[in-house]
Coordinates of all heavy atoms in Angstrom, one line a residue:
M1 N -83.0 14.8 135.6 CA -84.2 14.0 135.6 C -85.2 14.5 136.6 O -86.4 14.5 136.4 CB -83.7 12.5 136.0 CG -84.8 11.6 136.2 SD -85.2 10.8 134.6 CE -86.3 9.5 135.1
H2 N -84.7 14.9 137.8 CA -85.6 15.5 138.8 C -86.4 16.7 138.3 O -87.6 16.8 138.6 CB -84.8 15.8 140.1 CG -85.7 16.4 141.1 ND1 -86.6 15.7 141.8 CD2 -85.7 17.7 141.6 CE1 -87.2 16.5 142.7 NE2 -86.6 17.7 142.6
E3 N -85.8 17.5 137.5 CA -86.4 18.7 137.0 C -87.6 18.3 136.1 O -88.6 19.0 136.0 CB -85.4 19.6 136.3 CG -86.0 21.0 135.9 CD -86.5 21.8 137.1 OE1 -85.9 21.7 138.2 OE2 -87.4 22.6 136.9
N4 N -87.4 17.3 135.2 CA -88.4 16.8 134.3 C -89.6 16.3 135.1 O -90.7 16.5 134.7 CB -87.9 15.7 133.4 CG -87.0 16.3 132.3 OD1 -87.1 17.5 132.0 ND2 -86.2 15.5 131.7
N5 N -89.4 15.6 136.2 CA -90.5 15.1 137.0 C -91.2 16.2 137.6 O -92.5 16.2 137.7 CB -89.9 14.2 138.1 CG -89.4 12.8 137.6 OD1 -89.8 12.4 136.5 ND2 -88.6 12.2 138.4
R6 N -90.5 17.3 138.1 CA -91.2 18.4 138.7 C -92.0 19.1 137.6 O -93.2 19.5 137.9 CB -90.2 19.4 139.3 CG -90.8 20.6 139.9 CD -89.7 21.4 140.7 NE -90.1 22.7 141.0 CZ -91.0 23.1 141.9 NH1 -91.7 22.1 142.6 NH2 -91.3 24.3 142.1
K7 N -91.5 19.3 136.4 CA -92.2 19.9 135.3 C -93.5 19.2 135.0 O -94.6 19.7 134.8 CB -91.3 20.1 134.1 CG -92.0 20.8 132.9 CD -91.1 20.9 131.8 CE -91.8 21.6 130.6 NZ -91.0 21.6 129.4
N8 N -93.3 17.8 134.9 CA -94.5 17.0 134.6 C -95.5 17.1 135.7 O -96.7 17.1 135.4 CB -94.1 15.6 134.3 CG -93.3 15.4 133.0 OD1 -93.4 16.2 132.1 ND2 -92.5 14.3 133.0
S9 N -95.1 17.1 136.9 CA -96.0 17.2 138.0 C -96.8 18.6 138.0 O -98.0 18.6 138.2 CB -95.2 17.2 139.4 OG -96.0 17.4 140.5
L10 N -96.1 19.7 137.7 CA -96.7 21.0 137.6 C -97.7 21.0 136.4 O -98.8 21.5 136.6 CB -95.7 22.1 137.4 CG -94.8 22.4 138.6 CD1 -93.8 23.5 138.3 CD2 -95.7 22.9 139.8
E11 N -97.3 20.4 135.3 CA -98.2 20.4 134.2 C -99.5 19.6 134.5 O -100.6 19.9 134.1 CB -97.5 19.8 132.9 CG -96.5 20.8 132.4 CD -95.7 20.2 131.3 OE1 -95.8 19.0 131.0 OE2 -94.8 20.9 130.7
H12 N -99.3 18.4 135.2 CA -100.4 17.6 135.5 C -101.3 18.3 136.5 O -102.6 18.3 136.3 CB -99.9 16.3 136.1 CG -101.0 15.3 136.6 ND1 -101.8 14.7 135.7 CD2 -101.4 15.0 137.8 CE1 -102.7 14.0 136.4 NE2 -102.5 14.2 137.7
Q13 N -100.8 18.9 137.5 CA -101.6 19.6 138.4 C -102.3 20.8 137.8 O -103.5 21.0 138.0 CB -100.7 20.2 139.6 CG -101.6 20.9 140.6 CD -100.9 21.1 141.9 OE1 -99.8 20.5 142.2 NE2 -101.4 21.9 142.7
G14 N -101.6 21.5 136.9 CA -102.3 22.6 136.1 C -103.5 22.1 135.3 O -104.5 22.8 135.3
Q15 N -103.3 20.9 134.7 CA -104.4 20.4 133.9 C -105.6 20.1 134.8 O -106.7 20.4 134.5 CB -103.9 19.1 133.3 CG -105.0 18.4 132.4 CD -104.5 17.1 131.8 OE1 -103.4 16.6 132.1 NE2 -105.3 16.5 130.9
I16 N -105.3 19.5 136.0 CA -106.4 19.2 136.9 C -107.1 20.4 137.4 O -108.4 20.5 137.5 CB -105.9 18.3 138.1 CG1 -105.5 16.9 137.6 CG2 -106.9 18.3 139.2 CD1 -104.8 16.1 138.7
L17 N -106.3 21.4 137.7 CA -106.9 22.7 138.2 C -107.7 23.4 137.1 O -108.8 23.9 137.3 CB -105.8 23.6 138.7 CG -105.2 23.2 140.0 CD1 -104.0 24.0 140.4 CD2 -106.2 23.2 141.2
R18 N -107.2 23.3 135.9 CA -107.9 23.9 134.7 C -109.3 23.2 134.5 O -110.3 23.8 134.3 CB -107.1 23.8 133.5 CG -107.7 24.4 132.2 CD -106.8 24.4 131.0 NE -106.3 23.1 130.7 CZ -105.0 22.8 130.9 NH1 -104.1 23.7 131.3 NH2 -104.6 21.6 130.6
E19 N -109.2 21.8 134.6 CA -110.5 21.1 134.4 C -111.5 21.4 135.5 O -112.7 21.5 135.2 CB -110.1 19.6 134.4 CG -109.4 19.1 133.1 CD -109.0 17.7 133.2 OE1 -109.3 17.0 134.2 OE2 -108.3 17.2 132.3
A20 N -111.0 21.5 136.7 CA -111.9 21.9 137.8 C -112.5 23.2 137.6 O -113.7 23.4 137.8 CB -111.1 21.9 139.2
R21 N -111.7 24.2 137.1 CA -112.3 25.5 136.9 C -113.3 25.4 135.8 O -114.4 26.0 135.9 CB -111.2 26.5 136.5 CG -111.7 27.9 136.1 CD -110.7 28.8 135.6 NE -109.9 28.3 134.4 CZ -110.4 28.3 133.2 NH1 -111.6 28.7 132.9 NH2 -109.7 27.8 132.2
R22 N -113.0 24.8 134.7 CA -113.9 24.7 133.5 C -115.2 23.9 133.9 O -116.3 24.3 133.5 CB -113.2 24.0 132.4 CG -112.2 24.9 131.7 CD -111.5 24.1 130.5 NE -110.6 25.0 129.8 CZ -109.7 24.5 128.9 NH1 -109.7 23.2 128.6 NH2 -108.9 25.3 128.3
D23 N -115.0 22.8 134.6 CA -116.2 22.0 135.0 C -117.1 22.8 135.9 O -118.3 22.6 135.9 CB -115.8 20.7 135.7 CG -115.1 19.7 134.8 OD1 -115.1 19.9 133.5 OD2 -114.5 18.7 135.3
S24 N -116.6 23.8 136.7 CA -117.4 24.6 137.6 C -118.1 25.7 136.8 O -118.9 26.4 137.4 CB -116.5 25.1 138.7 OG -115.7 26.2 138.2
G25 N -117.7 25.9 135.6 CA -118.3 27.0 134.8 C -117.6 28.4 135.0 O -118.2 29.4 134.5
L26 N -116.5 28.4 135.7 CA -115.9 29.7 136.0 C -114.9 30.0 134.9 O -114.2 29.1 134.4 CB -115.1 29.7 137.3 CG -115.9 29.6 138.6 CD1 -115.0 29.3 139.8 CD2 -116.7 30.9 138.8
T27 N -114.8 31.3 134.5 CA -113.7 31.7 133.6 C -112.5 32.0 134.4 O -112.6 32.1 135.7 CB -114.2 33.0 132.9 OG1 -114.3 34.1 133.8 CG2 -115.5 32.8 132.1
Q28 N -111.4 32.2 133.8 CA -110.1 32.5 134.5 C -110.3 33.9 135.2 O -109.8 34.1 136.3 CB -109.0 32.6 133.5 CG -108.5 31.2 133.0 CD -107.4 31.3 132.0 OE1 -107.2 32.3 131.4 NE2 -106.6 30.2 132.0
E29 N -111.0 34.8 134.5 CA -111.2 36.1 135.1 C -112.1 36.0 136.4 O -111.8 36.7 137.4 CB -111.9 37.1 134.1 CG -111.0 37.4 132.9 CD -110.9 36.4 131.9 OE1 -111.7 35.3 131.9 OE2 -110.0 36.5 131.0
E30 N -113.2 35.2 136.3 CA -114.0 35.1 137.5 C -113.3 34.4 138.7 O -113.4 34.8 139.8 CB -115.3 34.2 137.1 CG -116.2 34.9 136.2 CD -117.3 34.0 135.6 OE1 -117.0 32.8 135.5 OE2 -118.3 34.6 135.2
L31 N -112.5 33.4 138.3 CA -111.7 32.7 139.4 C -110.7 33.6 140.0 O -110.5 33.6 141.2 CB -111.1 31.4 138.8 CG -110.3 30.6 139.9 CD1 -111.3 30.1 141.0 CD2 -109.7 29.4 139.2
S32 N -110.1 34.4 139.2 CA -109.0 35.3 139.7 C -109.6 36.3 140.7 O -109.0 36.7 141.7 CB -108.3 36.1 138.6 OG -109.1 37.1 138.0
E33 N -110.9 36.7 140.5 CA -111.6 37.6 141.4 C -111.8 36.9 142.7 O -111.6 37.5 143.8 CB -112.9 38.1 140.8 CG -112.6 39.2 139.7 CD -113.9 39.7 139.1 OE1 -115.0 39.6 139.8 OE2 -113.9 40.1 137.9
V34 N -112.3 35.7 142.6 CA -112.6 34.9 143.8 C -111.4 34.6 144.6 O -111.4 34.7 145.9 CB -113.3 33.5 143.4 CG1 -113.4 32.6 144.6 CG2 -114.7 33.8 142.8
L35 N -110.3 34.3 143.9 CA -109.0 34.0 144.6 C -108.2 35.2 145.0 O -107.2 35.1 145.6 CB -108.2 33.0 143.7 CG -108.8 31.7 143.4 CD1 -107.9 30.9 142.5 CD2 -109.3 30.9 144.6
D36 N -108.6 36.4 144.5 CA -107.9 37.6 144.7 C -106.4 37.5 144.2 O -105.5 37.8 144.9 CB -107.9 38.0 146.2 CG -107.5 39.4 146.4 OD1 -107.7 40.3 145.5 OD2 -106.9 39.7 147.5
C37 N -106.3 37.1 142.9 CA -105.0 37.0 142.3 C -105.2 37.4 140.8 O -106.3 37.6 140.4 CB -104.4 35.7 142.4 SG -105.2 34.3 141.6
S38 N -104.1 37.6 140.1 CA -104.2 38.0 138.7 C -104.6 36.9 137.8 O -104.4 35.7 138.1 CB -102.9 38.6 138.3 OG -101.9 37.6 138.1
V39 N -105.2 37.3 136.7 CA -105.6 36.3 135.6 C -104.3 35.6 135.1 O -104.3 34.4 134.9 CB -106.3 37.0 134.5 CG1 -106.5 36.0 133.3 CG2 -107.6 37.6 135.0
R40 N -103.2 36.4 135.0 CA -101.9 35.9 134.6 C -101.4 34.7 135.5 O -100.9 33.7 135.1 CB -100.9 37.0 134.5 CG -99.5 36.5 134.1 CD -99.5 35.6 132.9 NE -99.0 36.3 131.7 CZ -99.2 35.9 130.5 NH1 -99.9 34.8 130.3 NH2 -98.8 36.5 129.5
H41 N -101.7 34.9 136.8 CA -101.3 33.9 137.8 C -102.1 32.6 137.5 O -101.5 31.5 137.5 CB -101.4 34.4 139.2 CG -100.8 33.5 140.2 ND1 -99.5 33.1 140.2 CD2 -101.3 32.9 141.3 CE1 -99.2 32.3 141.2 NE2 -100.3 32.2 141.9
I42 N -103.4 32.7 137.3 CA -104.2 31.6 137.0 C -103.7 30.9 135.7 O -103.6 29.7 135.7 CB -105.7 32.0 136.8 CG1 -106.3 32.7 138.1 CG2 -106.6 30.9 136.3 CD1 -106.4 31.8 139.2
Q43 N -103.4 31.7 134.7 CA -102.9 31.1 133.4 C -101.6 30.4 133.6 O -101.5 29.3 133.1 CB -102.7 32.3 132.4 CG -104.0 32.9 132.0 CD -103.8 34.2 131.2 OE1 -102.7 34.8 131.3 NE2 -104.8 34.6 130.4
N44 N -100.7 30.9 134.4 CA -99.4 30.3 134.7 C -99.6 29.0 135.4 O -98.9 28.0 135.1 CB -98.5 31.2 135.4 CG -97.9 32.3 134.5 OD1 -97.8 32.1 133.3 ND2 -97.5 33.4 135.1
I45 N -100.5 28.9 136.4 CA -100.8 27.7 137.1 C -101.3 26.7 136.2 O -100.9 25.5 136.2 CB -101.7 28.0 138.3 CG1 -101.0 28.8 139.4 CG2 -102.2 26.7 138.9 CD1 -101.9 29.4 140.5
E46 N -102.3 27.0 135.4 CA -103.0 26.1 134.6 C -102.0 25.6 133.5 O -102.2 24.5 133.0 CB -104.2 26.7 133.9 CG -105.3 26.9 134.9 CD -106.6 27.4 134.3 OE1 -106.7 27.7 133.1 OE2 -107.6 27.5 135.1
A47 N -101.1 26.4 133.1 CA -100.1 26.0 132.1 C -98.9 25.2 132.7 O -98.1 24.7 131.9 CB -99.5 27.2 131.3
G48 N -98.9 25.0 134.0 CA -97.9 24.3 134.6 C -96.6 25.0 134.7 O -95.5 24.5 134.8
K49 N -96.7 26.4 134.7 CA -95.5 27.2 134.7 C -95.1 27.7 136.1 O -94.0 28.2 136.4 CB -95.6 28.4 133.8 CG -95.7 28.1 132.4 CD -95.9 29.3 131.5 CE -96.0 29.0 130.1 NZ -96.2 30.1 129.2
C50 N -96.0 27.5 137.1 CA -95.7 27.8 138.5 C -96.4 26.9 139.4 O -97.4 26.3 139.1 CB -96.0 29.3 138.8 SG -97.7 29.7 138.8
D51 N -95.8 26.8 140.6 CA -96.3 25.9 141.6 C -97.2 26.7 142.6 O -96.7 27.6 143.3 CB -95.1 25.3 142.4 CG -95.5 24.1 143.2 OD1 -96.6 23.7 143.2 OD2 -94.6 23.6 143.8
P52 N -98.5 26.4 142.6 CA -99.4 27.2 143.5 C -99.2 26.8 144.9 O -98.8 25.7 145.3 CB -100.8 26.8 143.0 CG -100.6 25.4 142.4 CD -99.3 25.4 141.8
S53 N -99.5 27.8 145.8 CA -99.4 27.5 147.2 C -100.5 26.6 147.7 O -101.5 26.5 147.0 CB -99.4 28.8 148.0 OG -100.7 29.4 147.9
F54 N -100.3 26.0 148.8 CA -101.3 25.1 149.4 C -102.6 25.9 149.7 O -103.7 25.4 149.4 CB -100.8 24.5 150.7 CG -101.7 23.6 151.4 CD1 -101.9 22.3 151.0 CD2 -102.6 24.1 152.4 CE1 -102.8 21.4 151.7 CE2 -103.5 23.2 153.1 CZ -103.6 21.9 152.7
S55 N -102.5 27.1 150.2 CA -103.7 27.9 150.5 C -104.4 28.3 149.2 O -105.7 28.3 149.2 CB -103.3 29.1 151.3 OG -102.4 29.9 150.6
L56 N -103.7 28.6 148.1 CA -104.4 28.9 146.9 C -105.1 27.7 146.3 O -106.3 27.8 145.9 CB -103.4 29.4 145.9 CG -104.0 30.0 144.6 CD1 -104.9 31.2 144.9 CD2 -103.0 30.2 143.5
V57 N -104.5 26.5 146.4 CA -105.2 25.3 145.9 C -106.4 25.0 146.7 O -107.5 24.7 146.2 CB -104.2 24.1 145.9 CG1 -105.0 22.8 145.6 CG2 -103.1 24.3 144.9
R58 N -106.3 25.2 148.0 CA -107.5 25.0 148.9 C -108.6 26.0 148.5 O -109.8 25.6 148.4 CB -107.1 25.2 150.4 CG -108.2 24.9 151.4 CD -107.7 25.1 152.8 NE -107.0 26.3 153.1 CZ -107.7 27.5 153.3 NH1 -109.0 27.6 153.3 NH2 -106.9 28.6 153.6
L59 N -108.3 27.3 148.3 CA -109.3 28.2 147.9 C -109.9 27.9 146.5 O -111.1 28.0 146.3 CB -108.7 29.6 147.9 CG -108.4 30.2 149.2 CD1 -107.6 31.5 149.1 CD2 -109.6 30.4 150.1
W60 N -109.0 27.4 145.6 CA -109.4 27.0 144.2 C -110.4 25.9 144.4 O -111.5 25.9 143.7 CB -108.2 26.5 143.5 CG -108.3 26.4 142.0 CD1 -109.2 25.6 141.3 CD2 -107.5 27.0 141.0 NE1 -109.0 25.7 140.0 CE2 -107.9 26.5 139.8 CE3 -106.4 27.8 141.1 CZ2 -107.3 26.9 138.6 CZ3 -105.8 28.2 139.9 CH2 -106.2 27.7 138.6
M61 N -110.1 24.9 145.2 CA -111.0 23.7 145.4 C -112.4 24.2 146.0 O -113.4 23.8 145.6 CB -110.4 22.8 146.4 CG -111.1 21.5 146.7 SD -112.3 21.6 148.1 CE -111.2 22.3 149.4
Q62 N -112.3 25.2 146.9 CA -113.6 25.7 147.5 C -114.4 26.4 146.4 O -115.6 26.2 146.4 CB -113.3 26.6 148.7 CG -112.8 25.9 149.9 CD -112.4 26.8 151.0 OE1 -112.0 27.9 150.8 NE2 -112.5 26.3 152.2
A63 N -113.7 27.2 145.6 CA -114.4 28.0 144.6 C -115.0 27.1 143.5 O -116.1 27.3 143.0 CB -113.5 29.0 143.9
T64 N -114.4 26.0 143.2 CA -114.8 25.1 142.1 C -115.6 23.9 142.6 O -116.3 23.2 141.9 CB -113.7 24.6 141.3 OG1 -112.8 23.8 142.1 CG2 -112.9 25.7 140.6
Q65 N -115.6 23.7 143.9 CA -116.2 22.5 144.6 C -115.7 21.2 143.9 O -116.5 20.3 143.7 CB -117.7 22.6 144.5 CG -118.3 23.8 145.3 CD -118.0 23.6 146.8 OE1 -118.4 22.6 147.4 NE2 -117.3 24.5 147.4
D66 N -114.4 21.2 143.6 CA -113.8 20.0 143.0 C -112.7 19.5 143.8 O -111.6 20.2 143.9 CB -113.4 20.4 141.6 CG -113.0 19.2 140.7 OD1 -112.4 18.2 141.3 OD2 -113.3 19.2 139.5
W67 N -112.8 18.4 144.5 CA -111.8 17.9 145.4 C -110.6 17.3 144.6 O -109.5 17.1 145.2 CB -112.4 16.8 146.3 CG -113.3 17.4 147.3 CD1 -114.6 17.7 147.2 CD2 -112.9 17.9 148.6 NE1 -115.1 18.2 148.3 CE2 -114.1 18.4 149.2 CE3 -111.7 17.9 149.3 CZ2 -114.1 18.9 150.5 CZ3 -111.7 18.5 150.6 CH2 -112.9 19.0 151.1
R68 N -110.7 17.0 143.3 CA -109.5 16.4 142.6 C -108.3 17.3 142.7 O -107.2 16.8 142.9 CB -109.9 16.2 141.1 CG -110.9 15.2 140.8 CD -111.2 15.2 139.3 NE -111.7 16.5 138.9 CZ -111.9 16.9 137.7 NH1 -111.6 16.1 136.7 NH2 -112.3 18.1 137.4
S69 N -108.5 18.6 142.6 CA -107.3 19.5 142.6 C -106.6 19.5 144.0 O -105.4 19.5 144.1 CB -107.7 20.9 142.3 OG -108.8 21.3 143.1
F70 N -107.4 19.4 145.0 CA -106.9 19.4 146.4 C -106.1 18.1 146.6 O -104.9 18.1 147.1 CB -108.0 19.5 147.4 CG -107.5 19.7 148.8 CD1 -106.9 20.8 149.2 CD2 -107.8 18.7 149.7 CE1 -106.5 21.0 150.5 CE2 -107.4 18.9 151.0 CZ -106.7 20.0 151.4
F71 N -106.6 16.9 146.3 CA -106.0 15.7 146.5 C -104.7 15.5 145.6 O -103.7 14.9 146.0 CB -106.9 14.5 146.3 CG -107.9 14.4 147.4 CD1 -109.3 14.5 147.2 CD2 -107.5 14.3 148.8 CE1 -110.2 14.5 148.2 CE2 -108.4 14.3 149.8 CZ -109.8 14.3 149.5
S72 N -104.8 16.0 144.4 CA -103.6 16.0 143.5 C -102.5 16.8 144.1 O -101.3 16.4 144.1 CB -104.0 16.6 142.1 OG -102.8 16.7 141.3
F73 N -102.8 17.9 144.7 CA -101.8 18.8 145.4 C -101.2 18.0 146.5 O -100.0 18.1 146.7 CB -102.4 20.1 145.8 CG -101.4 21.1 146.4 CD1 -100.7 21.9 145.5 CD2 -101.2 21.2 147.7 CE1 -99.8 22.8 146.0 CE2 -100.3 22.1 148.2 CZ -99.6 22.9 147.4
L74 N -102.0 17.3 147.3 CA -101.5 16.6 148.5 C -100.6 15.4 148.0 O -99.7 15.0 148.8 CB -102.6 16.1 149.3 CG -103.5 17.1 150.0 CD1 -104.6 16.4 150.8 CD2 -102.6 17.9 151.0
Q75 N -100.8 14.9 146.9 CA -100.0 13.7 146.4 C -98.7 14.1 145.7 O -97.9 13.2 145.4 CB -100.9 12.9 145.5 CG -102.0 12.2 146.2 CD -102.9 11.5 145.3 OE1 -102.7 11.4 144.1 NE2 -104.0 10.9 145.8
K76 N -98.5 15.4 145.4 CA -97.3 15.7 144.6 C -96.1 15.5 145.4 O -96.1 15.6 146.7 CB -97.4 17.2 144.1 CG -97.1 18.2 145.2 CD -97.2 19.6 144.5 CE -96.9 20.6 145.5 NZ -96.9 21.9 145.0
P77 N -95.0 15.1 144.8 CA -93.7 14.8 145.5 C -93.2 16.1 146.2 O -93.3 17.2 145.7 CB -92.8 14.3 144.4 CG -93.3 14.8 143.2 CD -94.8 15.0 143.4
I78 N -92.6 15.8 147.3 CA -92.0 16.9 148.1 C -90.5 17.1 147.6 O -89.8 16.1 147.6 CB -92.0 16.6 149.6 CG1 -93.5 16.6 150.1 CG2 -91.2 17.7 150.4 CD1 -93.6 16.1 151.5
T79 N -90.2 18.3 147.2 CA -88.8 18.6 146.8 C -88.0 18.8 148.0 O -88.3 19.7 148.8 CB -88.8 19.8 145.9 OG1 -89.7 19.6 144.8 CG2 -87.4 20.0 145.3
P80 N -86.9 18.0 148.2 CA -86.0 18.2 149.3 C -85.3 19.6 149.3 O -85.0 20.1 148.2 CB -85.0 17.1 149.2 CG -85.0 16.7 147.8 CD -86.4 17.0 147.3
C81 N -85.1 20.2 150.4 CA -84.4 21.4 150.5 C -82.9 21.1 150.6 O -82.5 20.4 151.5 CB -84.8 22.2 151.7 SG -86.5 22.8 151.6
L82 N -82.1 21.6 149.7 CA -80.7 21.3 149.7 C -80.0 22.5 150.3 O -80.4 23.7 150.1 CB -80.2 21.0 148.3 CG -80.9 19.8 147.6 CD1 -80.4 19.7 146.2 CD2 -80.7 18.5 148.4
N83 N -78.9 22.2 150.9 CA -78.0 23.3 151.5 C -78.7 24.2 152.5 O -78.5 25.4 152.6 CB -77.4 24.2 150.4 CG -76.6 23.4 149.4 OD1 -75.9 22.4 149.8 ND2 -76.6 23.7 148.2
K84 N -79.6 23.6 153.2 CA -80.3 24.4 154.3 C -80.2 23.7 155.6 O -80.3 22.4 155.6 CB -81.8 24.6 153.9 CG -82.1 25.5 152.8 CD -83.6 25.8 152.8 CE -83.8 26.9 151.8 NZ -85.2 27.3 151.8
E85 N -79.9 24.4 156.6 CA -79.9 23.8 157.9 C -81.3 23.7 158.5 O -82.1 24.5 158.3 CB -79.1 24.7 158.9 CG -77.6 24.7 158.5 CD -76.8 25.5 159.6 OE1 -77.2 25.6 160.7 OE2 -75.8 26.1 159.2
I86 N -81.5 22.6 159.2 CA -82.8 22.3 159.8 C -82.8 22.7 161.2 O -81.9 22.5 161.9 CB -83.2 20.8 159.6 CG1 -83.3 20.5 158.1 CG2 -84.5 20.6 160.3 CD1 -83.7 19.1 157.8

């Protein structure tokens, strides 16, 4: 059940980030240049296949001037670390 929630969270965040990029008029290629990452990484984030770092989301928000992506990232559930000493 937890894995499904995480998948849905990543897909939802990817959708918000994709909308922010599109609304700003940037292509995936243009955004990848601004963020200094691969187009494939942008595609995977937008498809909900990977979890972007906090710093990447912050840069994405700055590039698109869309705060929705930033606040969505801050609201995502925190996955507990299992089997790790604190």
Side-chain angles (χ1 to χ4, degrees):
M1 178 89 171
H2 176 68
E3 188 62 32
N4 284 339
N5 289 340
R6 179 169 165 74
K7 182 179 176 187
N8 290 339
S9 175
L10 289 177
E11 288 173 356
H12 177 69
Q13 183 165 345
Q15 179 182 9
I16 290 171
L17 291 170
R18 181 176 53 251
E19 289 173 5
R21 177 188 55 77
R22 287 180 177 169
D23 290 350
S24 73
L26 291 171
T27 65
Q28 289 178 334
E29 292 78 11
E30 292 167 333
L31 184 60
S32 73
E33 288 180 24
V34 171
L35 301 181
D36 193 29
C37 67
S38 70
V39 174
R40 177 49 105 194
H41 192 53
I42 299 292
Q43 292 168 340
N44 285 336
I45 291 169
E46 291 185 355
K49 294 181 180 178
C50 69
D51 196 359
S53 67
F54 180 83
S55 60
L56 186 68
V57 171
R58 184 177 50 81
L59 292 172
W60 194 305
M61 179 272 307
Q62 288 174 334
T64 63
Q65 293 297 301
D66 191 324
W67 288 88
R68 292 176 300 170
S69 55
F70 188 69
F71 290 119
S72 173
F73 186 83
L74 292 177
Q75 294 175 2
K76 76 179 181 177
I78 297 173
T79 306
C81 296
L82 302 176
N83 299 325
K84 287 191 174 185
E85 290 185 29
I86 298 178

